[in-house]
Amino acid sequence: MSSTVELPLWLALAGGFLCAWFLASRLLLPGVRWFFRQRINKLMATLNQRLHLKIPPIAMTKREVLIDRLVYDPKVLRELTHHCESTGVPPEIALREVQRYAREIVPAFNAYLYFRLGNRVARAIVNMLYRVRLGHADSRALRQLTQNASVVFVMNHRSNIDYILVAYLASKRVALSYAVGEWAQVWPIQQIIRSLGAYFVRRGSGNELYRRVLECYVQMAIAGGSVQAIFPEGGLTRDGLLRPPRIGLLDYMLRSFDPAGERDIVFVPVGINYDRVLEDRTLLAEDFARAERRSGLAAVGNTLRFLGAQTWLRLRGRWYRFGYACANFGTPLSLKAYLAGAGWSPVALDRETRGRRVTQLAADLMSAVGRVVPVLPVSLVARVFIDAADESCSEEDIRTRAVELQRRFEALGAHVYVPRSDPDYSVLVGLRMLTLRNIVLESGGRYRANPAELALLRYYANAIAHLTDPIPRPELPR
């Protein structure tokens, strides 16, 4: 009984590791999980006292529970049965496909990461790049939003910084859940984005099974009171103009919406503009359509190259912030009130008729977004040079024309952001930004548009073009 037993070193190490893992998993890890759960619960209680719209229970539900609810949703199961019958795919294979879609879509919201880390990083990034301003907000109407309403922020899409800018500006009121494109599905970006409450969308997917899973998730999130943030344009504007809206996510929201039900959907229009868009030249490039379809790794590579170039400029003392970044929050639109005024109900319409009606709603929402897009110094001065593309102007001429244009926009009800409340300074800021980038050339005290940069100049002027040339509202067939 007292004889010695010899074991190989590798077996002794493996046994020791397994024992340590067992003890940690049974004794140490539960305590660690309890500690962090208490911290998160305390944070949630504090946030729900501070935030205007409290964090909904769906955001605190375990991700695995949400995935199971989505996979076994009756609509998803009906579509799965139809998919198996039409394609001959075995049910167990189709079910695994549905589970994969659900895991891809469902976020893993982490309040600590969103409010403690995410907000600080967002604040640092946007304030490092821009002079950030909240130009206009219908504060009275925004304060009247209640927990009984599912809030959807509807925004124009000018830059990938939009996600960070609006989340930062809205962080004192709500936690936003974004619909993010496939470009971000690369490690570790997708894990971070998912932890911040965002969900991924395959734009333009023709897979009906995937669409049904996405539809059911969107309806689950709306019913659960999750605050959504969507870009109806479906992608970044390539020419600076507002793009025609796509109705996919809006249609999903409305398909099961009952105007007589308890919960309303309230859309908040958000207009965004920048003195400089980080991706402007890339967006104007002829191969951008192909670049949009490239992998997330390519997007990360482009971002790193840009950051490297900006860091090099900063080390040489030649780096400047990119002017102003501004967002305006318009008057919320109640879907119940809209449907009552328009005289239709989504649940009472067939698919084709509902599609036409939702298209009109999307156009109305984009018009509301367009009305609150801020007029910034670069866009204002760019418009002056586009209107006088062949002229050489003095600084006084530019100032006079810009101030007249500013008054015209104000008379139309546009929100013009004037730095320091000084119109002359505003014009100088815009002119300096365009001159530093050689979009406008200066010689002998006179300025003219650079012929080689007219497309870029027009891109910034187009950001406010809809304010004087509104997008026509689609007419429904009688």
Side-chain angles (χ1 to χ4, degrees):
M1 297 294 292
S2 61
S3 60
T4 302
V5 178
E6 294 186 3
L7 294 176
L9 179 61
W10 65 267
L11 184 58
L13 292 175
F17 173 78
L18 289 174
C19 289
W21 178 83
F22 178 81
L23 291 173
S25 63
R26 292 295 183 270
L27 300 176
L28 181 61
L29 291 182
V32 172
R33 283 196 294 267
W34 177 87
F35 174 77
F36 282 107
R37 191 181 299 116
Q38 290 296 106
R39 293 287 300 271
I40 291 175
N41 288 341
K42 184 177 180 181
L43 174 63
M44 298 286 276
T46 303
L47 290 172
N48 282 332
Q49 291 177 353
R50 177 172 65 84
L51 295 174
H52 178 66
L53 292 177
K54 295 178 174 58
I55 299 173
I58 192 173
M60 297 179 280
T61 304
K62 287 186 177 181
R63 184 168 182 257
E64 293 301 323
V65 173
L66 296 178
I67 290 173
D68 286 342
R69 283 175 55 186
L70 188 55
V71 169
Y72 295 104
D73 186 283
K75 291 181 182 178
V76 173
L77 292 178
R78 283 197 298 270
E79 185 63 39
L80 184 146
T81 301
H82 174 73
H83 176 75
C84 293
E85 291 174 351
S86 60
T87 62
V89 175
E92 59 273 15
I93 301 297
L95 184 61
R96 283 202 293 269
E97 189 176 358
V98 168
Q99 290 172 333
R100 181 164 59 85
Y101 295 151
R103 289 189 176 281
E104 177 183 308
I105 293 169
V106 175
F109 179 74
N110 184 310
Y112 194 89
L113 187 62
Y114 187 98
F115 287 99
R116 287 292 182 265
L117 179 61
N119 280 345
R120 290 175 182 175
V121 172
R123 180 172 64 248
I125 290 175
V126 296
N127 283 294
M128 178 185 70
L129 296 175
Y130 297 101
R131 293 178 174 88
V132 180
R133 299 293 184 269
L134 173 60
H136 164 81
D138 192 341
S139 300
R140 181 178 179 182
L142 291 172
R143 281 196 298 268
Q144 293 175 352
L145 296 176
T146 66
Q147 294 295 133
N148 238 2
S150 296
V151 180
V152 181
F153 286 76
V154 184
M155 303 174 283
N156 63 314
H157 202 7
R158 289 191 62 79
S159 170
N160 285 314
I161 292 291
D162 296 345
Y163 298 96
I164 301 174
L165 175 68
V166 177
Y168 164 58
L169 291 176
S171 61
K172 293 184 179 179
R173 291 182 176 271
V174 295
L176 297 179
S177 176
Y178 280 103
V180 180
E182 293 174 274
W183 63 269
Q185 289 188 5
V186 57
W187 185 90
I189 293 178
Q190 65 176 349
Q191 283 77 13
I192 296 172
I193 288 177
R194 189 175 281 126
S195 298
L196 295 175
Y199 60 98
F200 294 99
V201 176
R202 299 183 184 183
R203 304 193 187 278
S205 172
N207 186 325
E208 286 298 327
L209 189 56
Y210 169 79
R211 288 182 177 183
R212 194 65 61 240
V213 176
L214 177 61
E215 174 192 341
C216 289
Y217 171 73
V218 171
Q219 292 171 357
M220 183 196 304
I222 289 293
S226 177
V227 180
Q228 305 288 302
I230 63 172
F231 300 98
E233 295 168 287
L236 295 169
T237 173
R238 290 189 61 189
D239 55 9
L241 295 169
L242 293 180
R243 299 174 66 175
R246 298 181 180 182
I247 67 169
L249 290 178
L250 280 175
D251 190 39
Y252 293 159
M253 293 175 186
L254 266 68
R255 282 185 187 181
S256 61
F257 179 76
D258 182 6
E262 291 184 6
R263 183 170 288 276
D264 193 7
I265 298 179
V266 177
F267 297 102
V268 179
V270 181
I272 305 169
N273 201 3
Y274 302 89
D275 273 338
R276 178 177 176 180
V277 174
L278 303 184
E279 310 94 328
D280 53 10
R281 296 187 188 277
T282 303
L283 291 167
L284 290 169
E286 289 297 324
D287 64 344
F288 179 69
R290 294 189 296 274
E292 279 189 312
R293 294 191 290 268
R294 293 168 64 188
S295 70
L297 287 174
V300 173
N302 289 335
T303 302
L304 292 176
R305 282 193 292 273
F306 174 81
L307 291 175
Q310 299 304 312
T311 301
W312 177 239
L313 287 174
R314 188 157 195 159
L315 291 174
R316 296 162 60 197
R318 299 179 59 185
W319 186 85
Y320 301 92
R321 280 197 287 184
F322 302 144
Y324 291 92
C326 185
N328 291 335
F329 293 77
T331 302
L333 171 67
S334 162
L335 182 57
K336 284 187 176 182
Y338 178 91
L339 295 178
W344 60 277
S345 171
V347 295
L349 300 178
D350 59 75
R351 182 174 181 175
E352 183 179 351
T353 306
R354 187 186 64 247
R356 292 199 300 268
R357 295 287 186 176
V358 174
T359 298
Q360 190 173 62
L361 169 62
D364 290 339
L365 289 174
M366 281 307 300
S367 294
V369 170
R371 287 194 294 272
V372 294
V373 169
V375 179
L376 293 186
V378 166
S379 294
L380 187 70
V381 176
R383 177 67 180 267
V384 169
F385 281 99
I386 287 297
D387 291 343
D390 299 325
E391 297 182 33
S392 176
C393 305
S394 67
E395 186 177 302
E396 184 61 33
D397 291 336
I398 296 166
R399 185 183 296 111
T400 301
R401 296 184 187 189
V403 171
E404 289 176 357
L405 191 58
Q406 175 185 318
R407 290 172 181 163
R408 181 186 172 192
F409 280 120
E410 290 173 337
L412 292 170
H415 300 283
V416 182
Y417 178 72
V418 182
R420 302 181 184 177
S421 300
D422 184 346
D424 290 344
Y425 175 75
S426 178
V427 175
L428 289 177
V429 167
L431 184 60
R432 182 178 62 202
M433 286 287 297
L434 293 172
T435 305
L436 283 172
R437 300 187 65 195
N438 290 321
I439 300 173
V440 169
L441 302 177
E442 187 269 335
S443 178
R446 300 191 69 83
Y447 300 83
R448 61 183 179 86
N450 184 348
E453 298 286 8
L454 280 179
L456 193 56
L457 190 65
R458 190 172 291 109
Y459 171 86
Y460 285 101
N462 283 347
I464 55 175
H466 62 275
L467 296 171
T468 52
D469 303 305
I471 300 172
R473 188 174 186 264
E475 294 292 335
L476 289 178
R478 297 178 181 272

